[in-house]
Amino acid sequence: MLQFGIRTFALTLLLGLTALAAAPEGEVESAPILEQLPPGMEANLIDPLQVEKNPPFTRGEVLHFKLGWSIFTVASASLSVSPALYEDHPAYTIDLRTRTNAFADSFYKVRNHSISWIADDVSRSLEYRAIQYEGGRERDTQALFNAEDLSARYIN
């Protein structure tokens, strides 16, 4: 249950921030994307042209979460947003760290660190990396996004 929730949260974050890309004249080409979304989901998309006026987060913002299983708190997570440089271009990093507490460690120890680099106008993802330690299994995965040819490369 805990493992699924953490992965779902990280995937939702990644997909939510990569949903739109700018057209050549700076307009958002959203019609094909919106046609594929479930009803009501289009209200949750970020319009890259409105980011300066109404940013989805503030610099240095940190959110803290308690993760539970049934009535027990079994883990904590923190999500932070920071300005950064990505290949010498302004960007943001979105950093998610998750760890189980001492009680849950005795059953299923989790120490995850996921970091996503996004364009400073929040129009596209640049890179995503996850370093996972879950129940004795270790993984280091990376996804690189290329906006020019609309491709992604997954490295495991």
Side-chain angles (χ1 to χ4, degrees):
M1 177 73 177
L2 174 65
Q3 179 181 2
F4 176 77
I6 295 166
R7 287 185 181 163
T8 301
F9 180 76
L11 182 60
T12 302
L13 173 68
L14 176 66
L15 293 176
L17 294 173
T18 61
L20 298 175
E25 282 79 37
E27 297 176 9
V28 176
E29 184 63 44
S30 60
I33 295 170
L34 295 177
E35 292 170 6
Q36 299 173 20
L37 296 175
M41 188 174 190
E42 65 273 1
N44 296 324
L45 297 178
I46 296 170
D47 181 353
L49 301 176
Q50 299 297 318
V51 169
E52 278 189 38
K53 293 185 230 171
N54 195 10
F57 43 75
T58 59
R59 292 175 183 224
E61 183 172 1
V62 179
L63 304 174
H64 298 280
F65 301 92
K66 289 182 182 177
L67 305 175
W69 180 57
S70 186
I71 61 170
F72 302 102
T73 298
V74 295
S76 61
S78 65
L79 179 73
S80 63
V81 178
S82 305
L85 287 177
Y86 185 85
E87 296 180 356
D88 296 325
H89 296 289
Y92 284 105
T93 59
I94 299 175
D95 191 287
L96 174 65
R97 294 176 186 263
T98 308
R99 68 179 292 134
T100 47
N101 60 23
F103 169 73
D105 281 351
S106 61
F107 301 102
Y108 193 84
K109 185 175 183 178
V110 173
R111 300 289 186 274
N112 290 345
H113 180 202
S114 301
I115 187 165
S116 183
W117 287 265
I118 61 171
D120 68 335
D121 64 355
V122 194
S123 64
R124 65 191 181 283
S125 286
L126 305 168
E127 182 177 334
Y128 173 78
R129 182 165 186 199
I131 302 166
Q132 300 171 290
Y133 177 88
E134 297 177 356
R137 185 181 80 155
E138 294 183 44
R139 289 182 56 181
D140 187 349
T141 57
Q142 186 176 24
L144 303 170
F145 304 98
N146 185 330
E148 291 177 18
D149 65 4
L150 298 176
S151 66
R153 187 175 75 180
Y154 177 78
I155 302 166
N156 187 6

